[in-house]
Amino acid sequence: MNVLLIGGGGREHALAWALSASPLLTTLHCAPGNPGIAEVATLAAIDVTDHAAVIAYCRRHAITFVVVGPEAPLVAGIADDLASAGIKVFGPSRTAAELEGSKGFTKDLCREFAIPTAAYERFTEPGPAKDYVRRMGAPIVIKADGLAAGKGVVVAMTLDEALAAVDMMFEGGMGAAGASVVVEAFMTGEEASFFALCDGDHALALATAQDHKRVGDGDTGPNTGGMGAYSPAPVMTPTLVERTMAEIIRPTLAAMKARGRPFKGVLFAGLMITAEGPKLIEYNCRFGDPECEVLMMRLKDDLLTLLLGAADGQLKTMSARWYDEAALTVVMAAKGYPGTPEKGTVIRGIERARALGGVEVFHAGTALKDGEVVAAGGRVLAVTATGRTVTEAQETAYRAVDLIDWPGGFCRRDIGWQAVAREGAAPAQD
Ligand code: AMP
Ligand code: GLY
């Protein structure tokens, strides 16, 4: 079968890498892709916001299945348009993608269907939002309702910070995303990323992961899209996985079906593991980036078969198997990220890093210039390794990072620290 993958980041390189190994695949295309993806797919020079152009490309290349990586095209309804044109798609419809597209929609759904999450209220004006903030006190969390590229959340440790965040959002600091605001209670616990494939009726739990959102070592500095990740997340014991499926994922699927918006695709639950159990921080309607990079390294079964199962409503009879090894990815970002990253700096040594056993270097924001790989985004590479333990995967990943010659880039040096500390305290069983 001929497949088109939409997107061009590290997540899509990892998806392309896994899809390209499928026995079901004839040709893989990717729009817009990147130089790493170009090694395993034909890059399609089409504008993915132009759905008619995407459909025309599919017809021209006899593409029968489209896999959508990022959220923006899903929220814009690309899955609906492809389905109307008779093309099978992995990814939710526009109305189902509201689980990510509107935080208020998700919070209301949780309230109605008793899905555990932080207490909250929704506001469309600053006055009542500030009254609520004063009543609740700090710490408190202020969230723009709409998509804000991972930057729409202010975790306010003081009342002044919270009130300033309310003003900033209503004054347009988050653009249209902040016209409506959710104010919610601050939760404490360890965070985990949980993924489930969904076919509208059934959910299949995938592996767990943990992400590092802050830009600096020791989880300091501003939030980013994610500076590194590892899988599995030791905090997610089998009991917690089952509780997450029973208390959060399956009720969400049932609720979405009841609302006439069956969810098909991958449901990415950001969880807080609190003293009372797992609670939902937020939903995304796509794979996490860089979580996807570590999941793909650990997936034993054929990715294309699983994604087709989700699209076809066949997950009830399917399972996903994972390698026992841990995987860990270190994001290398261009200096300046998450502010204004420096573009165009030359990166060398990727092949040397890739030659290490158990290592893949996924391209996230790269371009080719005069035959050399150059930085073309904030997060630029996801250097990914496997190992018997997270500690081993971490050692190999940093060995690979050190083989990359890129003075214009930087990375955190402590990705995986929670798991490494746990393994140090209680060495993993062989
Ligand atoms: P989100 O974009 O909703 O995942 O939020 C970004 C980050 O803000 C999360 O990864 C958490 O670290 C933090 N966060 C969001 N909501 C809460 C909450 N209710 N309590 C504590 N931390 C939160
Ligand atoms: N790494 C977090 C995300 O993809 O949203």
Side-chain angles (χ1 to χ4, degrees):
M1 114 187 303
N2 300 319
V3 177
L4 171 66
L5 173 64
I6 306 256
R11 165 184 47 217
E12 287 76 26
H13 191 185
L15 291 172
W17 175 79
L19 288 170
S20 67
S22 174
L24 301 181
L25 186 78
T26 311
T27 61
L28 180 63
H29 301 247
C30 186
N34 67 37
I37 295 172
E39 291 172 15
V40 291
T42 304
L43 300 193
I46 43 172
D47 172 7
V48 298
T49 64
D50 181 349
H51 299 176
V54 174
I55 290 164
Y57 184 90
C58 290
R59 296 227 164 99
R60 218 160 44 244
H61 296 275
I63 286 161
T64 51
F65 188 45
V66 177
V67 176
V68 185
E71 66 278 13
L74 294 166
V75 171
I78 199 168
D80 309 71
D81 291 338
L82 286 164
S84 301
I87 299 163
K88 199 178 286 186
V89 57
F90 175 79
S93 66
R94 185 179 58 77
T95 56
E98 274 216 41
L99 278 178
E100 175 162 1
S102 165
K103 295 199 192 292
F105 169 81
T106 298
K107 296 297 286 190
D108 288 352
L109 195 83
C110 288
R111 182 177 277 167
E112 188 180 338
F113 292 87
I115 295 163
T117 187
Y120 76 101
E121 287 302 330
R122 299 176 70 176
F123 300 96
T124 50
E125 288 176 53
K130 286 187 190 174
D131 289 344
Y132 181 72
V133 164
R134 287 196 192 92
R135 213 163 53 243
M136 300 291 287
I140 193 158
V141 183
I142 321 292
K143 299 186 170 183
D145 184 80
L147 290 186
K151 294 182 184 127
V153 174
V154 176
V155 179
M157 299 316 285
T158 65
L159 203 55
D160 283 349
E161 248 181 284
L163 296 172
V166 170
D167 278 333
M168 178 273 287
M169 290 195 190
F170 284 114
E171 281 163 12
M174 296 286 169
S180 169
V181 163
V182 170
V183 181
E184 70 175 38
F186 176 79
M187 298 187 283
T188 49
E190 193 167 336
E191 285 182 50
S193 300
F194 187 83
F195 298 88
L197 283 184
C198 300
D199 68 5
D201 286 303
H202 299 100
L204 176 62
L206 299 179
T208 60
Q210 249 162 332
D211 182 15
H212 296 261
K213 288 222 166 78
R214 302 299 192 104
V215 74
D217 283 11
D219 293 326
T220 54
N223 260 327
T224 70
M227 294 301 291
Y230 56 95
S231 172
V235 67
M236 289 301 289
T237 59
T239 309
L240 279 175
V241 168
E242 192 31 56
R243 277 190 69 179
T244 303
M245 289 299 286
E247 296 169 23
I248 298 179
I249 303 293
R250 287 196 283 264
T252 300
L253 268 198
M256 291 298 280
K257 197 173 176 200
R259 289 264 178 105
R261 308 174 181 219
F263 188 92
K264 291 183 172 194
V266 60
L267 198 50
F268 163 9
L271 300 178
M272 187 72 85
I273 309 305
T274 71
E276 298 105 67
K279 290 193 182 180
L280 182 71
I281 300 175
E282 63 156 7
Y283 271 132
N284 297 298
C285 62
R286 51 167 175 88
F287 281 105
D289 193 353
E291 289 96 327
C292 187
E293 286 87 319
V294 287
L295 293 190
M296 291 307 113
M297 292 286 272
R298 294 191 56 227
L299 180 63
K300 215 185 237 181
D301 285 310
D302 177 40
L303 177 67
L304 184 47
T305 304
L306 286 166
L307 301 188
L308 283 167
D312 286 338
Q314 299 293 323
L315 289 180
K316 191 177 179 187
T317 57
M318 295 175 76
S319 63
R321 291 170 305 159
W322 304 87
Y323 291 111
D324 287 336
E325 283 96 75
L328 182 140
T329 188
V330 177
V331 168
M332 297 185 78
K335 283 182 182 162
Y337 180 77
T340 309
E342 202 181 319
K343 289 199 175 157
T345 52
V346 176
I347 305 164
R348 299 200 174 100
I350 291 176
E351 286 317 315
R352 248 181 308 154
R354 215 177 235 173
L356 288 181
V359 169
E360 291 295 331
V361 179
F362 296 116
H363 289 231
T366 63
L368 284 182
K369 195 174 168 218
D370 305 328
E372 297 215 81
V373 177
V374 298
R379 296 188 293 169
V380 173
L381 298 174
V383 182
T384 313
T386 53
R388 281 185 315 153
T389 59
V390 176
T391 309
E392 231 180 73
Q394 187 199 49
E395 277 165 16
T396 308
Y398 280 112
R399 211 162 349 115
V401 163
D402 290 337
L403 290 171
I404 293 174
D405 172 17
W406 179 30
F410 73 97
C411 67
R412 278 181 61 161
R413 298 298 311 190
D414 65 345
I415 299 303
W417 66 267
Q418 296 105 320
V420 169
R422 268 198 177 87
E423 287 172 356
Q429 307 280 311
D430 278 305

